[in-house]
Amino acid sequence: MAREYDVVVLGGGLMGAAIGYGLARLGRRTAILDEGDIAFRASRGNFSLVWVQSKGLGMPAYSSWTRRSAERWSGFAAELKDETGVDCALQQPGGFTLLLSDAEMERRIAFLAKLHAQPGFEPYPYEIWDRSRVRQVFPGIGPEVVGASFCPLDGHLNALRAFRASHAAFAARGGDYFPHHTIEKVEPLAGGGFRIDTPGSGFTAAKVVLAAGTGNARLGPMLGLHAPVRPQRGQALVTEKASPFLTHPVVNLRQTDEGGIMIGDSQEEAGFDTSLGLGVLAVMARRAARMFPEVGRLNVVRTWSALRVMTKDGFPIYQQSETAPGAFLCNCHSGVTLAAAHAALLAPMIDAGRLDDTLLGAFSTRRFDVPASA
Amino acid sequence: MNLPELRDTYDVVVVGAGPAGMSAATAAAAQGASVLLVDEGVGPGGQIYRAVTTTPLTDRAVLGVDYWKGEEVAQAFAASGAAYLSGATVWHLDGERHLGFSVGGEARLVQAGQVVLATGALERPFPIAGWTLPGVLSVGAAQTLLKAQGMTATGRVVIAGCGPLLWLLASQYVAAGKPPALILDTTPAANWRRALSHLPSFLLTPYARKGMKLMARVRRAVRIVSGVTELAIEGETHAERITYRRGNAAPMTVPVDHVLLHQGVTPNLNLPAAAGCELEWNEPQACFQPRTDAWGQTTQPGIWLAGDGAGIAGAEAAASRGTLAGLAAACALGRIDAAARDRLATPVQAQLALQSRGRAFLDRLYRPADAFRRAADTALACRCEEVTGRQLREVADSLKVPGPNQMKTFLRCGMGPCQGRLCGLTVTETIAAARGVGPEEVGYYRLRTPVKPLTVAELATLHSTEDERRAVERG
Amino acid sequence: MFQRLPEDARAPLSFLLDGEPVQGRAGDSVAAALLALGRDACRETAVSGAPRGGYCMMGVCFDCLVTIDGVGNRQACLVPLRDGMEVETQHGRREPGR
């Protein structure tokens, strides 16, 4: 006896939970199928940033989509709080990339100029600050900090609470969550709709959303979808709780609402290996101490090593299957920043059976079909 | 040993200076291996033989004959030629046997040919309401204060819980002339039925006779209430009262100055687990332990585990297992061949078999009641992040939480500095009860480096490669 | 509080507790010295401000955290008392620079 739903979301990470909540809020009977307690779960190992600065070199539409989500985040956070009582502690005071040498400063200025100069890029405010201006915001800045790039649209939140709130809101809206339901097979049905098989249970649904992160590579082809995603390792560490002293997030160092200082991050092509590397952690620790010497005294209480869901070009994928309409492939590595857009904009598109071409056309998998040699 | 004398590599590195660690170091050194023993404490002894070389309690009758057995182990270790680094906190061990530790705020890395972990046990959490109030300590803490500093708790001292260590501490307090006011025994009456079939073999052991004498001495001097099924400690900023219940009887409240809690000890998992050693559930002892073979080999080649850290069996068994692990490590290094190892091991294995008798009875008799292994509604399941039993159960149900790692994500339990040492079992058992499955199916926290805190500045002193630098500095 | 048995003949040590001159004994851990002075609580937590003192005396509970010689969040049960040490009770989160 298969369980019937309007939509089944494959994957219970932040992306699946946000989309699931968005659909449940529209009144659709929605299920989320998820793995167990030990799984790769990028949702557990991210930096909690809602970040606009730096995104979109090679795809201006990504910057626009990111901005849309950042603009909607405060509404989304308020909604989650109303639904569940859980406060995501969203703060959008603007964010910094700190620069520790003149060479870094020059490269940053050039990069941002190039980013904004792209045809079709929607410009937004950003500033290059010198050291004395940075010191006004961060009095404890280290002597090597020469300046920073600042974007008023950047911010951060407590991603673990956002994750919990998304799941709680999904449940509050009548969504059904099934852990320990790894997908064995998903296939389109002759009369329309889909059948999903997991060990011990079967499901049918009018629509299916593939939000299984790196797992989409296996699931996509079952529905005529190509998901060129790979794991990209990122390590980070967090300190004991400290009194608040950092008012703004830096792209690789932030103080959480709980007080701990989060220090990151690495980009490593290591396959599915989530080992920790002391050498990598040491580099991050050194850089953190150069940015904020006071941080050196704090105790590291936790580290993590998680796998980003990295698409072939680093930009999100949103694609409806052409051979099996109603199946939607969704992948990104900025699941925190984009969660608001996923709940508020993507979910209604999935519900309507059509991804808006203006907003999301650039993210189609057709971009990967361009032959290597022209 | 001074830090400048520390070398980069050793044949065998032993972690922990309790009976298992000291014995492993002594055995490996005797076979010509270069051995380094690192321990967090100021002197040898671990917990059970804490301060055995420095205790101010020179009247041996107070701490008892079993404690003083540690002196011999410590003397053999001191004469073994093993290098010994005290005050060293280990925060890292990996599958390649790189060991990271800190001494005096300085981080160091050592490469070991073989590693013997002897990090012992810690007290099982006792998550009742008020267990975090000042004035409430574990029985083990009280015992450490007695051994190492010759101190006893003052005023109305109530000891609550179950297990041999509880009786031992009570008898030591009586021998010191400071009998506690009351013992609230939570040993479940139903346990006698399960333990009975193992009683005959227990009665043949020296523990039986000693234990009964010890309990008789305590009973003469202290009021004991047994069959306690509910406990709660109350007070504003300090423990002031304890309320207890026996089954359906009316609750009773008594004033307290101190409450000492104990419901057994469980293996200290953090270092072996972070090193990649697989864990298994020990059903009679209701705890997780790293999977080991008869020599102490864990699932990580070259990493051995000896003593209570491999499964609770007491101090004397720990010494035997330490010796076996030390011999096995020396053999793995090629210092002795398997035949010599086996020959040396035979008498130790015979001793171990004797020392392990009676364990099955004690495990079953003193298995804490389910209710005391899961946090009461208002009790803090996670002391560090202040998560209550009620919060655990609510989220376990409403979000269908599969295990402790997802629970950690949702409620932060296990994210504090203790890294789950005082909440791991509670959280797993609470989720298991909510899901209606066994703890082995639910699993445990995923534990990672650093298993003890070190500063960002210390971490910054470690070496990195150019590739590692580029993985981080991409600007 | 905890009291010392009469057998304890170890030498006294002087140290400062929240600025006040007090005494302990050679061989005390800082945590033991605090208990002997009747200080069952040594801090207020970073999460709720609840009072806490050491629970395990073996370095696993992280409740005996105090500031020693200007460095915060030291596990008092693992630090041997030294003559002239400056020990301070903690209130909430770790202060930057301490």
Side-chain angles (χ1 to χ4, degrees), chain A residues 37-38 44 107 160 163-164 168 177 179-180 237 241 258 265-267 274 276 278-280 282-286 295-303 305, chain B residues 92 109 385 399-400 402-406 409-412 415 419 435 446 448-450 453-457 459-460 462-464 468-469 471-475:
Chain A
D37 194 46
I38 305 281
R44 284 189 199 154
R107 285 195 293 270
L160 298 182
F163 181 52
R164 174 183 165 198
Y177 173 68
H180 297 123
L237 58 100
K241 298 178 203 291
E258 306 266 343
D265 64 328
S266 62
Q267 280 179 4
T274 56
L276 289 163
L278 286 184
V280 168
V283 176
M284 295 193 297
R286 278 196 283 282
V295 164
R297 301 172 65 101
L298 298 177
N299 287 300
V300 177
V301 296
R302 208 159 67 248
T303 60
S305 175
Chain B
H92 175 80
L109 283 177
E385 295 286 336
L399 298 185
K400 303 215 184 72
N405 294 288
Q406 191 77 320
T409 300
F410 287 147
L411 290 182
R412 302 188 63 83
M415 281 193 178
Q419 298 197 345
R435 282 182 52 192
R446 186 165 182 221
R448 319 218 71 182
T449 278
L454 76 161
T455 64
V456 172
L459 186 53
L462 300 183
H463 167 76
S464 21
E468 286 167 336
R469 192 194 62 76
V472 176
E473 300 188 343
R474 311 180 294 271

Coordinates of all heavy atoms in Angstrom, one line a residue, chain A residues 37-38 44 107 160 163-164 168 177 179-180 237 241 258 265-267 274 276 278-280 282-286 295-303 305, chain B residues 92 109 385 399-400 402-406 409-412 415 419 435 446 448-450 453-457 459-460 462-464 468-469 471-475:
Chain A
D37 N 20.4 9.2 11.0 CA 21.1 10.2 11.9 C 22.5 10.5 11.3 O 23.0 11.6 11.4 CB 21.3 9.6 13.3 CG 21.7 10.7 14.3 OD1 21.1 11.8 14.2 OD2 22.6 10.4 15.1
I38 N 23.2 9.5 10.7 CA 24.5 9.7 10.2 C 24.4 9.8 8.7 O 24.1 8.8 8.0 CB 25.4 8.5 10.5 CG1 25.5 8.3 12.1 CG2 26.8 8.7 10.0 CD1 26.3 9.3 12.8
R44 N 24.3 20.6 8.3 CA 24.8 20.6 9.7 C 26.2 21.3 9.7 O 26.7 21.5 10.8 CB 25.0 19.2 10.2 CG 23.7 18.5 10.6 CD 24.0 17.2 11.3 NE 22.9 16.3 11.4 CZ 23.0 15.0 11.5 NH1 24.2 14.5 11.5 NH2 22.0 14.3 11.5
R107 N 43.7 42.6 -5.4 CA 42.9 41.5 -6.1 C 41.4 41.6 -5.8 O 40.6 41.4 -6.7 CB 43.5 40.1 -5.6 CG 44.8 39.7 -6.2 CD 45.1 38.3 -6.0 NE 45.3 37.9 -4.6 CZ 46.4 37.9 -4.0 NH1 47.5 38.2 -4.6 NH2 46.5 37.5 -2.7
L160 N 21.4 26.5 12.3 CA 20.9 25.2 13.0 C 19.4 25.5 13.4 O 18.6 24.7 13.3 CB 21.7 24.8 14.1 CG 23.2 24.4 13.7 CD1 23.9 23.9 15.0 CD2 23.2 23.3 12.7
F163 N 17.2 25.6 10.4 CA 17.0 24.3 10.0 C 15.9 23.6 10.8 O 14.9 23.0 10.3 CB 18.3 23.5 10.1 CG 18.2 22.0 9.6 CD1 17.7 21.7 8.4 CD2 18.6 21.0 10.4 CE1 17.6 20.4 7.9 CE2 18.6 19.7 10.0 CZ 18.1 19.4 8.8
R164 N 16.0 23.8 12.1 CA 15.0 23.2 13.0 C 13.7 23.9 12.8 O 12.6 23.2 12.7 CB 15.4 23.5 14.5 CG 14.4 23.0 15.5 CD 14.9 23.4 16.9 NE 13.8 23.3 17.9 CZ 13.8 23.9 19.1 NH1 14.9 24.5 19.4 NH2 12.8 23.8 19.9
A168 N 10.2 22.2 11.8 CA 9.0 22.4 12.7 C 7.9 23.0 11.9 O 6.7 22.7 12.1 CB 9.4 23.2 13.9
Y177 N 7.2 13.9 7.7 CA 8.7 13.7 7.6 C 9.0 12.2 7.9 O 8.5 11.6 8.8 CB 9.4 14.6 8.6 CG 10.9 14.4 8.7 CD1 11.7 14.7 7.6 CD2 11.4 13.9 9.9 CE1 13.1 14.5 7.8 CE2 12.8 13.7 10.0 CZ 13.6 14.0 8.9 OH 15.0 13.8 9.0
P179 N 12.2 10.0 8.3 CA 13.7 9.6 8.4 C 13.9 8.1 8.1 O 12.9 7.4 8.1 CB 14.1 10.0 9.8 CG 12.8 9.8 10.6 CD 11.7 10.1 9.7
H180 N 15.1 7.7 7.9 CA 15.4 6.3 7.6 C 14.7 5.8 6.3 O 14.4 4.7 6.2 CB 15.1 5.4 8.8 CG 15.9 5.7 10.0 ND1 15.3 6.0 11.2 CD2 17.2 5.8 10.2 CE1 16.2 6.3 12.1 NE2 17.4 6.1 11.5
L237 N 36.0 25.6 12.5 CA 36.1 25.4 13.9 C 35.3 26.5 14.6 O 35.0 27.5 14.1 CB 37.5 25.4 14.3 CG 38.4 26.6 14.1 CD1 38.5 27.5 15.3 CD2 39.8 26.2 13.6
K241 N 31.9 30.0 24.1 CA 31.1 31.2 24.0 C 31.8 32.4 24.6 O 32.4 32.3 25.7 CB 29.8 31.0 24.8 CG 28.9 29.9 24.3 CD 27.7 29.7 25.2 CE 27.1 28.3 25.1 NZ 26.5 28.0 23.8
E258 N 25.0 32.7 19.9 CA 25.3 32.0 21.2 C 26.6 32.5 21.8 O 26.8 32.2 23.0 CB 25.4 30.5 21.0 CG 24.2 29.9 20.2 CD 23.2 29.3 21.2 OE1 23.6 29.1 22.4 OE2 22.1 29.1 20.8
D265 N 37.3 29.1 6.3 CA 36.8 27.8 5.9 C 37.7 27.3 4.8 O 38.5 28.1 4.2 CB 35.3 27.9 5.3 CG 35.2 28.8 4.1 OD1 36.0 29.7 4.0 OD2 34.4 28.5 3.3
S266 N 37.6 26.1 4.5 CA 38.5 25.6 3.4 C 37.7 25.1 2.2 O 36.5 24.9 2.4 CB 39.3 24.4 4.0 OG 38.5 23.3 4.4
Q267 N 38.3 25.0 1.1 CA 37.7 24.4 -0.1 C 38.6 23.3 -0.5 O 39.7 23.6 -1.0 CB 37.5 25.4 -1.2 CG 36.3 26.3 -1.0 CD 36.2 27.3 -2.1 OE1 37.0 27.3 -3.1 NE2 35.3 28.2 -2.0
T274 N 35.2 13.1 5.0 CA 34.9 14.2 5.9 C 35.9 14.1 7.0 O 35.6 14.5 8.2 CB 33.5 14.1 6.4 OG1 33.3 12.8 7.0 CG2 32.5 14.3 5.3
L276 N 39.0 15.4 9.3 CA 39.6 16.7 9.6 C 41.1 16.7 9.4 O 41.7 15.7 9.5 CB 39.4 17.0 11.1 CG 37.9 17.2 11.6 CD1 37.8 17.0 13.0 CD2 37.5 18.6 11.2
L278 N 44.5 18.7 10.6 CA 45.0 19.6 11.6 C 45.7 20.8 10.8 O 45.7 21.9 11.3 CB 46.0 19.0 12.5 CG 45.4 18.1 13.6 CD1 46.6 17.6 14.5 CD2 44.4 18.8 14.4
G279 N 46.4 20.4 9.7 CA 47.1 21.5 9.0 C 46.2 22.5 8.4 O 46.4 23.7 8.5
V280 N 45.0 22.1 7.9 CA 44.0 23.1 7.4 C 43.5 23.9 8.6 O 43.3 25.1 8.5 CB 42.9 22.3 6.7 CG1 41.7 23.2 6.4 CG2 43.4 21.7 5.4
A282 N 44.9 24.6 11.3 CA 46.0 25.5 11.7 C 46.0 26.7 10.9 O 46.2 27.9 11.4 CB 47.3 24.8 11.7
V283 N 45.9 26.6 9.5 CA 45.9 27.7 8.7 C 44.8 28.7 9.0 O 44.9 29.9 9.1 CB 45.8 27.3 7.2 CG1 45.7 28.5 6.3 CG2 47.0 26.5 6.8
M284 N 43.6 28.1 9.2 CA 42.4 28.9 9.6 C 42.7 29.6 10.9 O 42.3 30.8 11.0 CB 41.2 28.1 9.6 CG 40.8 27.5 8.3 SD 39.2 26.8 8.1 CE 39.3 25.4 9.3
A285 N 43.2 28.9 11.8 CA 43.5 29.5 13.2 C 44.5 30.7 13.0 O 44.3 31.7 13.7 CB 44.0 28.5 14.1
R286 N 45.5 30.5 12.2 CA 46.5 31.6 12.0 C 45.9 32.8 11.4 O 46.1 33.9 11.9 CB 47.7 31.1 11.1 CG 48.7 30.3 11.9 CD 50.0 30.2 11.1 NE 49.9 29.2 10.0 CZ 50.0 27.9 10.1 NH1 50.1 27.3 11.3 NH2 49.9 27.1 9.1
V295 N 41.1 36.7 19.5 CA 40.5 35.4 19.3 C 41.5 34.3 19.6 O 41.1 33.2 20.0 CB 40.0 35.3 17.8 CG1 39.7 33.8 17.4 CG2 38.7 36.1 17.6
G296 N 42.8 34.6 19.6 CA 43.8 33.6 19.9 C 43.7 33.0 21.2 O 44.0 31.8 21.5
R297 N 43.2 33.7 22.2 CA 43.1 33.2 23.6 C 41.9 32.3 23.8 O 41.9 31.5 24.8 CB 42.8 34.4 24.5 CG 43.9 35.5 24.5 CD 43.5 36.7 25.3 NE 43.4 36.3 26.7 CZ 44.3 36.6 27.6 NH1 45.4 37.3 27.2 NH2 44.1 36.3 28.9
L298 N 40.9 32.3 22.9 CA 39.7 31.5 23.1 C 40.0 30.0 22.8 O 40.8 29.7 22.0 CB 38.6 32.0 22.2 CG 38.2 33.4 22.4 CD1 37.1 33.8 21.4 CD2 37.6 33.6 23.9
N299 N 39.3 29.2 23.5 CA 39.4 27.7 23.3 C 38.6 27.2 22.2 O 37.4 27.6 22.1 CB 39.0 27.0 24.6 CG 40.0 27.1 25.7 OD1 41.1 26.7 25.6 ND2 39.6 27.7 26.8
V300 N 39.1 26.4 21.4 CA 38.4 25.7 20.3 C 37.6 24.6 21.0 O 38.2 23.7 21.6 CB 39.3 25.1 19.2 CG1 38.5 24.4 18.2 CG2 40.2 26.2 18.6
V301 N 36.3 24.5 20.8 CA 35.5 23.5 21.5 C 35.0 22.5 20.4 O 34.6 21.4 20.8 CB 34.4 24.0 22.3 CG1 34.9 24.7 23.5 CG2 33.4 24.8 21.6
R302 N 35.0 22.9 19.2 CA 34.4 22.0 18.2 C 34.9 22.3 16.8 O 35.3 23.4 16.5 CB 32.9 22.3 18.2 CG 32.0 21.1 17.8 CD 30.6 21.3 18.3 NE 29.9 22.4 17.6 CZ 29.5 23.5 18.3 NH1 29.8 23.7 19.5 NH2 28.9 24.4 17.6
T303 N 35.1 21.2 16.0 CA 35.4 21.4 14.6 C 34.4 20.6 13.8 O 33.8 19.7 14.3 CB 36.8 20.9 14.3 OG1 36.9 19.5 14.6 CG2 37.9 21.7 15.1
S305 N 33.8 19.0 9.5 CA 34.3 18.8 8.2 C 33.1 18.4 7.4 O 32.6 17.3 7.7 CB 35.4 17.8 8.2 OG 35.8 17.5 6.9
Chain B
H92 N 43.9 15.3 20.4 CA 43.8 14.7 19.1 C 44.5 13.3 19.0 O 45.6 13.1 19.5 CB 44.5 15.7 18.1 CG 44.6 15.1 16.7 ND1 43.5 15.2 15.8 CD2 45.6 14.5 16.0 CE1 43.8 14.7 14.6 NE2 45.1 14.2 14.7
L109 N 52.8 17.8 18.8 CA 52.3 16.6 18.1 C 53.4 15.5 18.2 O 54.6 15.8 18.1 CB 52.1 16.9 16.6 CG 50.8 17.6 16.2 CD1 50.8 17.9 14.7 CD2 49.6 16.8 16.6
E385 N 24.7 23.0 27.6 CA 23.8 23.9 26.8 C 22.5 24.0 27.4 O 21.6 24.7 26.9 CB 23.7 23.3 25.3 CG 25.0 23.4 24.5 CD 25.4 24.8 24.1 OE1 24.5 25.6 24.0 OE2 26.6 25.0 23.8
L399 N 9.7 16.2 15.7 CA 10.5 16.2 14.5 C 11.1 14.9 14.1 O 12.0 14.7 13.3 CB 11.7 17.2 14.7 CG 11.3 18.7 14.9 CD1 12.5 19.6 14.9 CD2 10.3 19.2 13.8
K400 N 10.5 13.8 14.8 CA 10.9 12.4 14.5 C 12.4 12.3 14.4 O 12.9 11.7 13.4 CB 10.2 12.0 13.1 CG 8.7 12.2 13.1 CD 8.1 11.1 12.3 CE 6.6 11.2 12.1 NZ 6.2 12.3 11.2
P402 N 15.9 11.0 14.4 CA 16.4 9.6 14.3 C 17.5 9.3 15.3 O 17.7 8.1 15.7 CB 16.9 9.5 12.8 CG 17.2 10.9 12.4 CD 16.2 11.8 13.2
G403 N 18.3 10.3 15.6 CA 19.5 10.0 16.5 C 20.1 11.2 17.1 O 19.6 12.4 16.9
P404 N 21.1 11.0 17.9 CA 21.7 12.1 18.7 C 22.4 13.2 17.8 O 22.5 14.3 18.3 CB 22.8 11.4 19.5 CG 23.1 10.1 18.8 CD 21.8 9.7 18.1
N405 N 22.8 12.9 16.6 CA 23.5 13.9 15.8 C 22.5 14.9 15.3 O 22.7 16.1 15.2 CB 24.3 13.3 14.7 CG 25.5 12.5 15.3 OD1 26.4 13.1 15.9 ND2 25.4 11.2 15.4
Q406 N 21.3 14.4 14.9 CA 20.2 15.3 14.4 C 19.7 16.1 15.6 O 19.4 17.3 15.5 CB 19.1 14.5 13.8 CG 18.1 15.3 13.1 CD 18.5 15.8 11.7 OE1 19.7 16.2 11.5 NE2 17.7 15.9 10.7
T409 N 21.9 18.9 16.3 CA 21.6 20.0 15.4 C 20.4 20.8 15.8 O 20.4 22.0 15.7 CB 21.3 19.3 14.0 OG1 22.5 18.6 13.6 CG2 21.1 20.4 12.9
F410 N 19.4 20.1 16.3 CA 18.2 20.9 16.6 C 18.3 21.6 18.0 O 17.7 22.6 18.2 CB 17.0 19.9 16.7 CG 16.6 19.4 15.3 CD1 16.0 18.2 15.1 CD2 16.6 20.3 14.2 CE1 15.6 17.7 13.9 CE2 16.2 19.9 13.0 CZ 15.7 18.6 12.8
L411 N 18.9 21.0 19.0 CA 18.9 21.5 20.3 C 20.2 21.9 20.9 O 20.3 22.4 22.1 CB 18.2 20.5 21.3 CG 16.7 20.3 21.1 CD1 16.1 19.3 22.1 CD2 15.9 21.7 21.2
R412 N 21.3 21.6 20.3 CA 22.6 21.9 20.7 C 23.2 21.0 21.8 O 24.3 21.2 22.3 CB 22.8 23.4 21.2 CG 22.4 24.5 20.3 CD 22.7 25.8 20.8 NE 24.1 26.0 21.0 CZ 25.0 26.3 20.1 NH1 24.5 26.5 18.8 NH2 26.3 26.4 20.3
M415 N 27.0 20.0 22.2 CA 27.9 21.0 21.6 C 28.7 21.8 22.5 O 29.5 22.6 22.2 CB 27.0 22.0 20.8 CG 26.6 21.5 19.5 SD 25.9 22.8 18.5 CE 25.5 21.9 17.0
Q419 N 31.5 18.0 25.4 CA 31.4 17.2 24.2 C 30.7 15.9 24.4 O 31.1 14.8 23.9 CB 32.8 16.9 23.7 CG 33.6 18.1 23.3 CD 34.7 17.7 22.4 OE1 35.2 16.6 22.3 NE2 35.3 18.7 21.7
R435 N 11.7 6.5 20.2 CA 11.5 5.7 18.9 C 11.0 4.3 19.1 O 10.7 3.6 18.2 CB 12.8 5.7 18.1 CG 13.1 7.0 17.4 CD 14.4 6.9 16.6 NE 14.4 5.7 15.7 CZ 15.5 5.2 15.1 NH1 16.7 5.8 15.3 NH2 15.4 4.1 14.4
R446 N 28.7 11.8 17.0 CA 29.9 11.7 16.2 C 30.9 12.6 16.9 O 30.7 13.8 17.0 CB 29.6 12.2 14.8 CG 30.8 12.0 13.9 CD 30.4 12.1 12.4 NE 31.6 11.8 11.6 CZ 31.9 12.4 10.5 NH1 31.2 13.4 10.1 NH2 33.0 12.1 9.9
R448 N 34.7 14.3 17.4 CA 35.8 14.8 16.6 C 36.8 15.5 17.4 O 36.6 15.9 18.5 CB 35.2 15.7 15.5 CG 33.9 15.3 14.9 CD 33.8 15.6 13.5 NE 34.7 14.7 12.7 CZ 34.9 14.7 11.4 NH1 34.3 15.6 10.7 NH2 35.7 13.9 10.8
T449 N 38.0 15.7 16.8 CA 39.0 16.5 17.3 C 38.5 17.9 17.4 O 37.8 18.3 16.6 CB 40.2 16.5 16.4 OG1 41.0 15.4 16.6 CG2 41.1 17.7 16.5
P450 N 38.9 18.7 18.4 CA 39.7 18.4 19.6 C 38.8 17.8 20.7 O 37.7 18.3 21.0 CB 40.2 19.7 20.1 CG 39.2 20.7 19.7 CD 38.5 20.2 18.4
P453 N 39.5 21.0 24.9 CA 39.8 22.3 24.3 C 41.3 22.6 24.2 O 42.0 22.3 25.1 CB 39.0 23.3 25.2 CG 38.1 22.5 26.0 CD 38.7 21.1 26.1
L454 N 41.6 23.3 23.1 CA 42.9 24.0 23.1 C 42.7 25.3 22.5 O 41.6 25.5 21.8 CB 43.9 23.2 22.2 CG 43.8 23.2 20.7 CD1 45.1 22.8 20.1 CD2 42.7 22.4 20.2
T455 N 43.5 26.3 22.7 CA 43.2 27.6 22.2 C 43.5 27.7 20.7 O 44.2 27.0 20.1 CB 44.1 28.7 22.9 OG1 45.5 28.5 22.6 CG2 43.9 28.6 24.4
V456 N 42.8 28.8 20.1 CA 43.1 29.1 18.7 C 44.6 29.3 18.5 O 45.1 28.9 17.5 CB 42.2 30.3 18.3 CG1 42.6 30.8 16.9 CG2 40.7 30.0 18.4
A457 N 45.2 30.0 19.4 CA 46.6 30.4 19.3 C 47.5 29.1 19.3 O 48.4 29.0 18.5 CB 47.1 31.3 20.4
L459 N 46.5 26.1 18.3 CA 46.2 25.4 17.0 C 47.0 26.1 15.9 O 47.5 25.5 15.0 CB 44.7 25.5 16.7 CG 44.1 24.8 15.5 CD1 44.5 23.3 15.5 CD2 42.6 24.9 15.5
A460 N 47.1 27.4 16.0 CA 47.8 28.2 15.0 C 49.3 27.8 14.9 O 50.0 28.1 14.0 CB 47.7 29.7 15.3
L462 N 50.6 24.9 14.8 CA 50.8 23.6 14.2 C 51.2 23.8 12.7 O 50.9 24.8 12.1 CB 49.6 22.7 14.2 CG 49.1 22.3 15.6 CD1 47.9 21.4 15.6 CD2 50.2 21.7 16.4
H463 N 51.9 22.8 12.2 CA 52.4 22.9 10.8 C 51.3 22.7 9.8 O 50.4 22.0 10.0 CB 53.5 21.8 10.7 CG 53.9 21.5 9.3 ND1 54.8 22.4 8.6 CD2 53.6 20.6 8.4 CE1 55.0 21.9 7.4 NE2 54.3 20.8 7.2
S464 N 51.5 23.4 8.6 CA 50.6 23.1 7.5 C 51.4 23.1 6.2 O 52.5 23.8 6.1 CB 49.4 24.1 7.4 OG 49.7 25.2 8.1
E468 N 47.6 22.9 1.9 CA 46.6 23.2 3.0 C 46.4 24.8 3.1 O 45.3 25.2 3.2 CB 47.1 22.7 4.3 CG 46.9 21.1 4.3 CD 47.6 20.5 5.5 OE1 48.6 21.0 6.0 OE2 47.2 19.4 5.9
R469 N 47.5 25.5 2.9 CA 47.3 26.9 3.0 C 46.4 27.4 1.8 O 45.6 28.3 2.0 CB 48.7 27.6 2.9 CG 48.7 29.1 3.3 CD 50.0 29.8 2.9 NE 50.2 29.8 1.4 CZ 49.6 30.6 0.6 NH1 48.7 31.4 1.0 NH2 49.8 30.5 -0.7
A471 N 44.2 25.9 0.3 CA 42.8 25.4 0.5 C 42.0 26.5 1.3 O 40.8 26.6 1.2 CB 42.7 24.1 1.1
V472 N 42.7 27.2 2.1 CA 42.0 28.2 2.9 C 42.2 29.6 2.4 O 41.2 30.4 2.3 CB 42.6 28.2 4.4 CG1 42.0 29.3 5.2 CG2 42.4 26.8 5.0
E473 N 43.4 30.0 2.0 CA 43.7 31.4 1.6 C 43.5 31.5 0.1 O 44.4 31.3 -0.7 CB 45.0 31.8 2.0 CG 45.2 31.7 3.5 CD 46.4 32.3 4.1 OE1 47.4 32.5 3.3 OE2 46.4 32.5 5.3
R474 N 42.2 31.8 -0.3 CA 41.9 31.8 -1.7 C 41.7 33.2 -2.3 O 41.3 33.3 -3.5 CB 40.6 31.0 -1.9 CG 40.7 29.6 -1.2 CD 39.4 28.9 -1.4 NE 38.2 29.5 -0.8 CZ 37.8 29.3 0.4 NH1 38.5 28.5 1.3 NH2 36.7 29.8 0.9
G475 N 42.0 34.2 -1.5 CA 41.8 35.6 -2.0 C 42.9 36.2 -2.8 O 44.0 36.1 -2.4

